[in-house]
Amino acid sequence: MPDRLPRLVGINHVALEVGGIDEALDFYAAIFEFTLRGRSARMAFIDIGDQFIALSAGRTSPPDGARHFGLVVDDKAATRRALEAAGAGSVTYPPSLGGMQARFLAA
């Protein structure tokens, strides 16, 4: 066994399966100001600091139940209003965008 095990120091990215890249990007654009790191026909990469969200077209599993991820935002109230205006509710993405639940934390 090594003298010291390596430590986890962060998350590089979260990969989400979505129904369609254009629809997912439109959804994120209605909620957040972001920079698109890259894009292909079946993938898109949204910068979030030095990490990113990888959107992958094509679902291979049903929408999630208890699994979720958390994003840190600079204005939780504005995020909630933007989500509600986009018809997404305050914590769950629509099934066509992966159905993965998201939690939002204020910075």
Side-chain angles (χ1 to χ4, degrees):
M1 182 154 212
D3 292 338
R4 183 178 82 70
L5 294 175
R7 290 183 313 114
L8 292 170
V9 296
I11 294 175
N12 175 261
H13 70 279
V14 173
L16 301 175
E17 294 178 331
V18 298
I21 296 298
D22 289 333
E23 180 184 12
L25 288 174
D26 288 347
F27 174 78
Y28 277 96
I31 309 302
F32 302 110
E33 178 181 318
F34 66 85
T35 300
L36 192 61
R37 179 179 287 199
R39 181 185 174 148
S40 68
R42 301 195 48 80
M43 297 286 299
F45 306 94
I46 296 173
D47 272 338
I48 51 172
D50 61 347
Q51 301 88 32
F52 63 96
I53 297 173
L55 303 173
S56 176
R59 301 245 341 127
T60 60
S61 59
D64 291 295
R67 289 183 290 179
H68 69 278
F69 63 97
L71 297 173
V72 178
V73 296
D74 63 355
D75 188 333
K76 188 174 177 181
T79 300
R80 184 178 314 273
R81 288 190 301 272
L83 283 164
E84 290 170 354
S90 62
V91 296
T92 304
Y93 287 158
S96 62
L97 296 178
M100 174 75 82
Q101 292 185 19
R103 303 289 190 255
F104 298 95
L105 310 166

